Amino acid sequence: MAEIKLDATVRTEFGKGAARRTRRANLVPGVVYGHGAESVHVNLPAHALQLALRTANVLIGLEIDGKDALVIPKAVQRNAIKGNIEHVDLLTVKRGEKVEVEIAVHVDGDLAPGGNLLEYVQNTLLVEAEATHIPESVTVSIAGLDAGDSILAKDIPLPKGSVLAGDEDAVVLQVVAAQVEEAPAEEAPAEA
């Protein structure tokens, strides 16, 4: 995964009013923490951050007032109506360090004939991977699965360098039999 470079400035004003002023200046307030170091409150360029966060678990090379930090997004708060980023929490990582992240689960193939439905019990998998080699997603083949079949977390092949960090017996996908509606019975005409 490629590293995206962003410039940040240290934030000295706090509170609701300061955050609103920051957002009006096309910046996003955030906090950088991790490795036992003291948290650093920063302002990030809104548009560049929005583009960077299009990639799940993106690796960001952050320059904070001349100091470099390697971070991954841990929590992103968005405006419920506009979808703009309101605040971001960034976790400091080191090259070669293992981190736990959630990666998306995608499917490939078609179910067995019969009109059955595929149910996602979990959309993501918790995996442990090196911070500089975090996979974006995993793909699972559902070809030929029939009603009652399920795929467990341990059955999903993970990319090289990744190991499952969550419950290996958790159901990720299951095939549910389609329910058929019965036609309503005809009513007898009412006698007078």
Side-chain angles (χ1 to χ4, degrees):
M1 176 185 316
E3 181 182 321
I4 295 177
K5 300 279 188 193
L6 290 178
D7 291 330
T9 56
V10 175
R11 186 164 40 116
T12 55
E13 290 185 312
F14 302 98
K16 194 184 297 185
R20 286 183 181 147
R21 282 190 297 279
T22 299
R23 290 185 199 104
R24 275 196 302 267
N26 289 325
L27 298 171
V28 176
V31 63
V32 178
Y33 61 91
H35 291 289
E38 196 169 315
S39 298
V40 178
H41 298 274
V42 295
N43 288 326
L44 301 151
H47 183 68
L49 181 63
Q50 184 101 15
L51 292 176
L53 293 179
R54 286 186 177 179
T55 304
N57 300 316
V58 65
L59 189 64
I60 300 172
L62 205 60
E63 185 176 320
I64 308 168
D65 291 339
K67 297 178 184 175
D68 291 331
L70 198 59
V71 298
I72 59 172
K74 210 54 179 167
V76 179
Q77 296 172 3
R78 294 184 182 270
N79 181 296
I81 296 173
K82 296 179 182 178
N84 299 339
I85 300 172
E86 298 223 328
H87 189 273
V88 65
D89 289 355
L90 302 169
L91 178 66
T92 304
V93 294
K94 294 181 180 174
R95 294 188 190 284
E97 174 186 11
K98 297 270 189 178
V99 293
E100 285 187 4
V101 292
E102 289 187 348
I103 57 173
V105 175
H106 299 293
V107 295
D108 185 33
D110 296 320
L111 296 173
N116 297 321
L117 304 171
L118 179 67
E119 179 183 7
Y120 276 85
V121 179
Q122 296 180 24
N123 300 24
T124 59
L125 271 182
L126 184 65
V127 298
E128 183 178 67
E130 186 179 324
T132 55
H133 295 94
I134 297 172
E136 289 185 31
S137 63
V138 291
T139 303
V140 181
S141 174
I142 58 165
L145 292 182
D146 207 352
D149 292 342
S150 60
I151 296 177
L152 303 178
K154 65 182 176 186
D155 299 332
I156 297 176
L158 296 174
K160 185 179 177 185
S162 301
V163 293
L164 193 61
D167 181 13
E168 63 182 29
D169 292 324
V171 176
V172 178
L173 303 166
Q174 65 185 8
V175 181
V176 181
Q179 296 179 354
V180 180
E181 282 189 34
E182 293 182 22
E186 289 186 30
E187 294 180 19
E191 292 183 25

